[in-house]
Amino acid sequence: METPVFEEIDPASDCDCPGCVHWRRVLPHSRAGRVTAHPAAHRALALAAVASAALGAGHAVPAAAASHASHHPGDVSAGEEPDTPQGGKAPLHGPAGRPAQPSAAPRVSAITRTEIIKRAKTWVAAKVPYSMSAYWSDGYRQDCSGYVSMAWQLPGNEWTGSLAQFAERITKEELQPGDILLFHNPDDPEKGSHVVIFGGWTDSTQTSYVAYEQTRPHTRRQSTPYAYWSNSDRYVPYRYKGVTPEEPAPEPDSGRPGAPAATPYPRAAYFGPGAVNKYVTLLGRMLVARGAGAAYASGPGPRWTDADRRATRAFQLAQGWTGADADGLPGPRTWELLVTGEGKDVKDAVAGPPPASHGVPGYPGRAMFRPGASNAYVTRLGRQLVRKGFGRFYAVGPGPRWSEADRRAVEAFQRTQGWRGGAADGYPGPETWRRLFS
């Protein structure tokens, strides 16, 4: 990112002198914001001019730029695009305000979603003032990208143009607390970009969510329309690569394996598409213990999949339930029967294998295709890629362990579909899977 040409000279944000009030109302906006008529701004411009003249034309001095209009707490209205210029990449800053030694290479450290939101809330509680040049006591820059860097516990201060290297692109349906919505505008990266932390949906329609963001005058948490107040179609969901599942629930110690009687029902929001948490893992283990293991090709794990839904429905059907009572989503009664070991077990093979749709094997979920993954779906994917003419990427195999050969073969297939950029990243999503097997 280029160093900004202008240097901001910003008078006190709470200045209500007649001059500031008058000029904020009548002067036109500049590209950097609204010109102020505060005496401090005039003095800064004069000093910059004198310094420039003294150094000569060969040694340019940055001119004092027009500052943004001042804000009081609460000035940002619900439908207003926030005033959020940002700084570039920078190391963390120490207590004395000096940059710390930058790390040699980007580092991804493990962190849970709970920890990300907990860290985000610290700035909300402290009402950290917005600044693209100042650094908070924790070493992070007080702008929108510095805020995400802090919440994700990154080793340095990133900007909107570099945050994506620490994350993977996801879909709206996969959003979970601690993910981000990123709008990077390469045409005006300093003032045309913004990023917010996703805090969770406010309703089942997924049209509004809780956003944690760093904006003027200070950090805020508020209900926000998806994807944002302005430029909504340009915000992209991302997930930090270092996100780890919550600590797994302790192994049960009760009459039935997989039935922890002390674990209360955690709420319906913990189950369903996009959910990733320890309760999904616990649910799967209990269902396997009750005879629904045939639904799982691998796992169970913390990410909700169709296997969890089918296993849950098989257990509900075993209780004689029908209709909405057997929808595959665990409610309080389903949970109670599982944790207490009561009710009827699932009969053998009732859950059945993963289904096919229109002759296409059921998509098993993104978690099956990532570095370190090893399962039957990777083998099936690779063999189908070979059948489709993309076998040149394999020196051996295909096999069950995900490899760079699989990723390159998938990317080549995606490009034959006319996809580019993030849509051809080499990781199969539901549409890639459908077209590959159709």
Short mmCIF file of all heavy atoms in Angstrom, two decimals, residues 21-47:
data_model
loop_
_atom_site.label_atom_id
_atom_site.label_comp_id
_atom_site.label_asym_id
_atom_site.label_seq_id
_atom_site.Cartn_x
_atom_site.Cartn_y
_atom_site.Cartn_z
N VAL A 21 -18.03 25.27 13.88
CA VAL A 21 -19.43 24.97 13.58
C VAL A 21 -19.82 25.56 12.24
O VAL A 21 -20.47 24.92 11.41
CB VAL A 21 -20.34 25.50 14.70
CG1 VAL A 21 -21.81 25.39 14.30
CG2 VAL A 21 -20.09 24.76 16.00
N HIS A 22 -19.40 26.80 11.98
CA HIS A 22 -19.75 27.48 10.73
C HIS A 22 -19.13 26.78 9.53
O HIS A 22 -19.83 26.43 8.56
CB HIS A 22 -19.30 28.92 10.78
CG HIS A 22 -19.41 29.64 9.45
ND1 HIS A 22 -20.62 30.02 8.91
CD2 HIS A 22 -18.45 30.00 8.55
CE1 HIS A 22 -20.41 30.59 7.74
NE2 HIS A 22 -19.10 30.60 7.51
N TRP A 23 -17.80 26.55 9.58
CA TRP A 23 -17.12 26.01 8.40
C TRP A 23 -17.46 24.56 8.13
O TRP A 23 -17.46 24.11 6.98
CB TRP A 23 -15.61 26.20 8.53
CG TRP A 23 -15.22 27.64 8.42
CD1 TRP A 23 -14.76 28.46 9.38
CD2 TRP A 23 -15.30 28.45 7.23
NE1 TRP A 23 -14.54 29.73 8.91
CE2 TRP A 23 -14.87 29.75 7.58
CE3 TRP A 23 -15.71 28.19 5.91
CZ2 TRP A 23 -14.82 30.78 6.66
CZ3 TRP A 23 -15.65 29.23 5.00
CH2 TRP A 23 -15.21 30.51 5.37
N ARG A 24 -17.77 23.79 9.19
CA ARG A 24 -18.21 22.41 8.93
C ARG A 24 -19.52 22.39 8.17
O ARG A 24 -19.82 21.48 7.43
CB ARG A 24 -18.38 21.65 10.26
CG ARG A 24 -17.09 21.15 10.86
CD ARG A 24 -17.34 20.04 11.88
NE ARG A 24 -18.18 20.46 12.98
CZ ARG A 24 -17.70 20.93 14.14
NH1 ARG A 24 -16.41 21.00 14.34
NH2 ARG A 24 -18.52 21.30 15.10
N ARG A 25 -20.33 23.44 8.34
CA ARG A 25 -21.63 23.49 7.69
C ARG A 25 -21.55 24.00 6.27
O ARG A 25 -22.28 23.54 5.39
CB ARG A 25 -22.58 24.36 8.52
CG ARG A 25 -24.02 24.41 7.98
CD ARG A 25 -24.97 25.17 8.90
NE ARG A 25 -24.61 26.57 9.00
CZ ARG A 25 -24.10 27.15 10.07
NH1 ARG A 25 -23.87 26.43 11.16
NH2 ARG A 25 -23.80 28.44 10.10
N VAL A 26 -20.66 24.94 5.97
CA VAL A 26 -20.71 25.61 4.68
C VAL A 26 -19.64 25.17 3.69
O VAL A 26 -19.84 25.29 2.48
CB VAL A 26 -20.62 27.14 4.85
CG1 VAL A 26 -21.73 27.65 5.75
CG2 VAL A 26 -19.26 27.55 5.41
N LEU A 27 -18.50 24.65 4.17
CA LEU A 27 -17.44 24.32 3.21
C LEU A 27 -17.72 23.00 2.51
O LEU A 27 -18.27 22.09 3.12
CB LEU A 27 -16.09 24.24 3.92
CG LEU A 27 -15.45 25.60 4.28
CD1 LEU A 27 -14.09 25.37 4.90
CD2 LEU A 27 -15.32 26.49 3.05
N PRO A 28 -17.32 22.85 1.25
CA PRO A 28 -17.53 21.59 0.51
C PRO A 28 -16.61 20.50 1.03
O PRO A 28 -15.60 20.77 1.66
CB PRO A 28 -17.19 21.96 -0.93
CG PRO A 28 -16.21 23.07 -0.79
CD PRO A 28 -16.66 23.88 0.42
N HIS A 29 -16.98 19.25 0.72
CA HIS A 29 -16.15 18.10 1.09
C HIS A 29 -14.98 17.99 0.14
O HIS A 29 -15.12 18.17 -1.07
CB HIS A 29 -16.97 16.80 1.00
CG HIS A 29 -17.97 16.69 2.10
ND1 HIS A 29 -17.65 16.17 3.33
CD2 HIS A 29 -19.27 17.04 2.15
CE1 HIS A 29 -18.71 16.18 4.10
NE2 HIS A 29 -19.71 16.70 3.40
N SER A 30 -13.82 17.64 0.67
CA SER A 30 -12.69 17.29 -0.17
C SER A 30 -12.61 15.78 -0.23
O SER A 30 -13.35 15.08 0.44
CB SER A 30 -11.39 17.86 0.42
OG SER A 30 -11.07 17.16 1.60
N ARG A 31 -11.67 15.25 -0.99
CA ARG A 31 -11.54 13.78 -1.11
C ARG A 31 -11.17 13.17 0.23
O ARG A 31 -11.53 12.04 0.53
CB ARG A 31 -10.48 13.45 -2.17
CG ARG A 31 -10.37 11.97 -2.48
CD ARG A 31 -9.54 11.76 -3.71
NE ARG A 31 -9.45 10.34 -4.02
CZ ARG A 31 -8.45 9.58 -3.65
NH1 ARG A 31 -7.44 10.06 -2.95
NH2 ARG A 31 -8.42 8.29 -3.99
N ALA A 32 -10.41 13.89 1.03
CA ALA A 32 -10.00 13.33 2.32
C ALA A 32 -11.01 13.59 3.41
O ALA A 32 -10.95 13.03 4.47
CB ALA A 32 -8.65 13.92 2.73
N GLY A 33 -11.95 14.47 3.15
CA GLY A 33 -12.94 14.76 4.19
C GLY A 33 -13.38 16.19 4.07
O GLY A 33 -13.31 16.82 3.03
N ARG A 34 -13.82 16.83 5.16
CA ARG A 34 -14.31 18.21 5.13
C ARG A 34 -13.23 19.14 5.65
O ARG A 34 -12.63 18.88 6.69
CB ARG A 34 -15.56 18.31 5.98
CG ARG A 34 -16.13 19.71 6.04
CD ARG A 34 -17.48 19.74 6.75
NE ARG A 34 -18.49 19.15 5.92
CZ ARG A 34 -19.74 19.01 6.31
NH1 ARG A 34 -20.11 19.37 7.50
NH2 ARG A 34 -20.62 18.46 5.50
N VAL A 35 -12.99 20.25 4.94
CA VAL A 35 -11.98 21.21 5.36
C VAL A 35 -12.46 21.93 6.60
O VAL A 35 -13.60 22.36 6.69
CB VAL A 35 -11.71 22.24 4.24
CG1 VAL A 35 -10.68 23.25 4.67
CG2 VAL A 35 -11.24 21.52 2.97
N THR A 36 -11.59 22.07 7.61
CA THR A 36 -11.96 22.81 8.81
C THR A 36 -11.33 24.19 8.78
O THR A 36 -10.33 24.44 8.10
CB THR A 36 -11.49 22.07 10.07
OG1 THR A 36 -10.06 22.10 10.07
CG2 THR A 36 -11.98 20.64 10.08
N ALA A 37 -11.89 25.10 9.53
CA ALA A 37 -11.36 26.46 9.61
C ALA A 37 -10.81 26.72 11.00
O ALA A 37 -10.71 27.85 11.43
CB ALA A 37 -12.44 27.48 9.27
N HIS A 38 -10.52 25.65 11.73
CA HIS A 38 -9.99 25.80 13.08
C HIS A 38 -8.61 26.44 13.00
O HIS A 38 -7.80 26.13 12.13
CB HIS A 38 -9.90 24.44 13.76
CG HIS A 38 -9.74 24.56 15.25
ND1 HIS A 38 -8.55 24.83 15.83
CD2 HIS A 38 -10.67 24.43 16.24
CE1 HIS A 38 -8.69 24.87 17.15
NE2 HIS A 38 -9.97 24.63 17.42
N PRO A 39 -8.26 27.35 13.91
CA PRO A 39 -6.94 27.98 13.87
C PRO A 39 -5.80 26.98 13.86
O PRO A 39 -4.77 27.21 13.24
CB PRO A 39 -6.93 28.83 15.17
CG PRO A 39 -8.38 29.12 15.43
CD PRO A 39 -9.12 27.90 14.96
N ALA A 40 -5.95 25.84 14.55
CA ALA A 40 -4.87 24.84 14.58
C ALA A 40 -4.57 24.32 13.18
O ALA A 40 -3.42 24.06 12.84
CB ALA A 40 -5.25 23.68 15.50
N ALA A 41 -5.60 24.17 12.36
CA ALA A 41 -5.41 23.68 11.00
C ALA A 41 -4.65 24.70 10.17
O ALA A 41 -3.77 24.36 9.38
CB ALA A 41 -6.75 23.36 10.37
N HIS A 42 -5.03 26.02 10.36
CA HIS A 42 -4.33 27.05 9.60
C HIS A 42 -2.86 27.13 10.01
O HIS A 42 -1.98 27.30 9.18
CB HIS A 42 -5.00 28.40 9.83
CG HIS A 42 -6.30 28.53 9.10
ND1 HIS A 42 -6.38 28.43 7.73
CD2 HIS A 42 -7.58 28.74 9.54
CE1 HIS A 42 -7.66 28.58 7.35
NE2 HIS A 42 -8.40 28.76 8.44
N ARG A 43 -2.60 26.99 11.31
CA ARG A 43 -1.21 27.03 11.76
C ARG A 43 -0.41 25.87 11.17
O ARG A 43 0.73 26.03 10.77
CB ARG A 43 -1.17 26.98 13.29
CG ARG A 43 -1.59 28.29 13.95
CD ARG A 43 -1.13 28.32 15.40
NE ARG A 43 -1.74 27.25 16.18
CZ ARG A 43 -2.92 27.37 16.78
NH1 ARG A 43 -3.62 28.48 16.68
NH2 ARG A 43 -3.41 26.35 17.48
N ALA A 44 -1.01 24.67 11.12
CA ALA A 44 -0.32 23.51 10.58
C ALA A 44 -0.01 23.69 9.10
O ALA A 44 1.07 23.32 8.62
CB ALA A 44 -1.17 22.25 10.78
N LEU A 45 -0.97 24.29 8.35
CA LEU A 45 -0.73 24.54 6.93
C LEU A 45 0.40 25.54 6.73
O LEU A 45 1.24 25.39 5.84
CB LEU A 45 -2.02 25.05 6.28
CG LEU A 45 -3.10 24.00 6.04
CD1 LEU A 45 -4.42 24.68 5.69
CD2 LEU A 45 -2.69 23.06 4.93
N ALA A 46 0.43 26.56 7.57
CA ALA A 46 1.47 27.57 7.45
C ALA A 46 2.83 26.97 7.74
O ALA A 46 3.82 27.22 7.04
CB ALA A 46 1.18 28.74 8.40
N LEU A 47 2.93 26.15 8.81
CA LEU A 47 4.20 25.51 9.16
C LEU A 47 4.67 24.60 8.03
O LEU A 47 5.86 24.53 7.73
CB LEU A 47 4.04 24.72 10.46
CG LEU A 47 3.90 25.58 11.73
CD1 LEU A 47 3.57 24.68 12.91
CD2 LEU A 47 5.17 26.38 11.99
#
